[in-house]
Amino acid sequence: MRRSSIDWLNGDDLPLPIRPRPTPLDELPGDHDMYAVASEPLQCSQQRLDELTEEAIRFEHQTARSHFRTGMHLASLPSAPSISGFKQWLILGGVALLSLLVLVLMRPDGNGGLISNWSTQVFSEGQPQVTNSLSAVFLSDVRPPGDYALRAAPSLTPQQIDAILALYGSPATGTGAVWFDLGQQRGIDPAFAVAFFIHESGAGTAQGWAGLKPDGSTTHNVGNIICAGYPTCYGRFRDYPSWNDGIADWYRLIDVEYLQGRGHQTVADIIPVYAPSFENDVNGYVNVVQKLVDRWRTQGVQ
């Protein structure tokens, strides 16, 4: 009966192969005594050869069995090399250190920016340029460049709004929190409000701005809203008692009359009605507002 491989591995009584041997001398014809004497050394050598052959065969079988068992053992091991406890702690420590370094580099610098700088030039249409670092505000749900729907989370912080106004030398500098808070209340990204203010009057500094009064004061009319229906006016435009009032009225106008009333949602929807083509460059107006908002959203303000 043929033995299985397991029986063969476990057995100590290994079956030895049967090898053909030479015909014994006593079976040869002739003088048996003479043959016996002459062949005695040969028989001793043959016996020793047989013993060595059996030992070699047994050793060969034992070696094969050992390798086979080792192969079975290695096949049961996982393919990935094991990592010592020390190396595991070393790897975990390196990952933790890298994570801490990233957090430190991304920490806000107090001006709405990041410690790591990527300086660029911000777009301006004939106005002072705003240089800044890659300081995305990391406010939730900030829209990407190319999204010009006014209904959006703030993409500027109060500090960044003040930084923009200060760069223009605006008399409204210091009102960043007002723009931010009123924008959140109305659900409008304040970046659009500030961009309108810049285009309409150079953030209150343009020499020909209709909101400037001879005594140096202003109408606080950030969007050059026409006087119709408002109790106090200066020329054909509304005259507000404070920047808070002027900013709040702009948000109210856009929210109530354009977003809700007309169903407009984007800059390109609103401006043709807000600043009609018979007295404005509509395409130029749209481009200025969109490019300013894109720059602030991607590069922040320094």
Side-chain angles (χ1 to χ4, degrees):
M1 182 177 68
R2 183 176 179 180
R3 304 178 69 186
S4 68
S5 59
I6 299 299
D7 293 334
W8 178 74
L9 286 173
N10 295 330
D12 293 327
D13 52 339
L14 299 176
L16 300 178
I18 299 174
R19 300 194 179 198
R21 296 185 180 183
T23 303
L25 292 177
D26 57 3
E27 296 179 9
L28 293 175
D31 189 347
H32 295 292
D33 293 335
M34 182 181 65
Y35 275 118
V37 172
S39 64
E40 184 176 354
L42 180 61
Q43 288 179 341
C44 291
S45 298
Q46 183 65 50
Q47 183 178 359
R48 181 58 180 161
L49 177 62
D50 289 343
E51 292 174 355
L52 292 175
T53 301
E54 292 180 1
E55 290 180 4
I57 293 172
R58 183 179 296 277
F59 177 77
E60 184 182 62
H61 285 192
Q62 290 175 342
T63 302
R65 181 174 60 190
S66 174
H67 283 301
F68 185 76
R69 284 175 174 168
T70 303
M72 291 179 63
H73 173 67
L74 292 177
S76 66
L77 295 177
S79 58
S82 60
I83 302 176
S84 66
F86 174 75
K87 290 183 178 179
Q88 289 179 345
W89 282 109
L90 188 62
I91 293 172
L92 290 175
V95 172
L97 186 60
L98 288 175
S99 301
L100 181 61
L101 181 61
V102 170
L103 291 175
V104 170
L105 290 177
M106 300 298 285
R107 176 172 56 86
D109 60 7
N111 293 319
L114 301 178
I115 291 178
S116 57
N117 290 330
W118 182 14
S119 297
T120 55
Q121 293 288 331
V122 169
F123 166 85
S124 72
E125 287 283 335
Q127 301 294 343
Q129 288 186 333
V130 182
T131 59
N132 96 40
S133 62
L134 182 61
S135 57
V137 190
F138 294 106
L139 298 171
S140 61
D141 301 325
V142 172
R143 300 296 176 86
D147 187 340
Y148 306 119
L150 274 70
R151 292 269 187 229
S155 55
L156 294 174
T157 65
Q159 294 80 10
Q160 289 176 313
I161 295 172
D162 276 329
I164 293 171
L165 298 176
L167 284 170
Y168 281 88
S170 172
T173 300
T175 59
V178 177
W179 297 86
F180 184 87
D181 293 341
L182 291 173
Q184 281 195 312
Q185 292 175 22
R186 291 286 182 176
I188 296 172
D189 184 353
F192 291 106
V194 176
F196 269 72
F197 186 30
I198 289 172
H199 185 273
E200 286 287 346
S201 64
T205 62
Q207 293 298 317
W209 180 36
L212 285 176
K213 298 180 181 179
D215 61 0
S217 62
T218 75
T219 60
H220 308 104
N221 192 335
V222 299
N224 283 340
I225 301 173
I226 294 176
C227 190
Y230 198 75
T232 56
C233 302
Y234 180 76
R236 59 189 289 251
F237 301 101
R238 298 182 181 186
D239 187 4
Y240 302 99
S242 68
W243 289 114
N244 290 35
D245 293 322
I247 296 167
D249 198 39
W250 184 89
Y251 277 116
R252 183 207 59 79
L253 174 72
I254 297 298
D255 182 23
V256 174
E257 296 192 21
Y258 288 89
L259 301 182
Q260 297 184 49
R262 291 182 170 86
H264 294 166
Q265 299 300 323
T266 67
V267 172
D269 295 336
I270 293 170
I271 288 178
V273 180
Y274 182 93
S277 59
F278 68 84
E279 59 179 356
N280 294 276
D281 176 4
V282 173
N283 289 334
Y285 200 148
V286 170
N287 288 336
V288 169
V289 171
Q290 290 179 346
K291 288 180 179 179
L292 284 172
V293 171
D294 276 347
R295 293 284 184 168
W296 294 333
R297 282 178 170 176
T298 57
Q299 300 169 4
V301 179
Q302 188 176 26

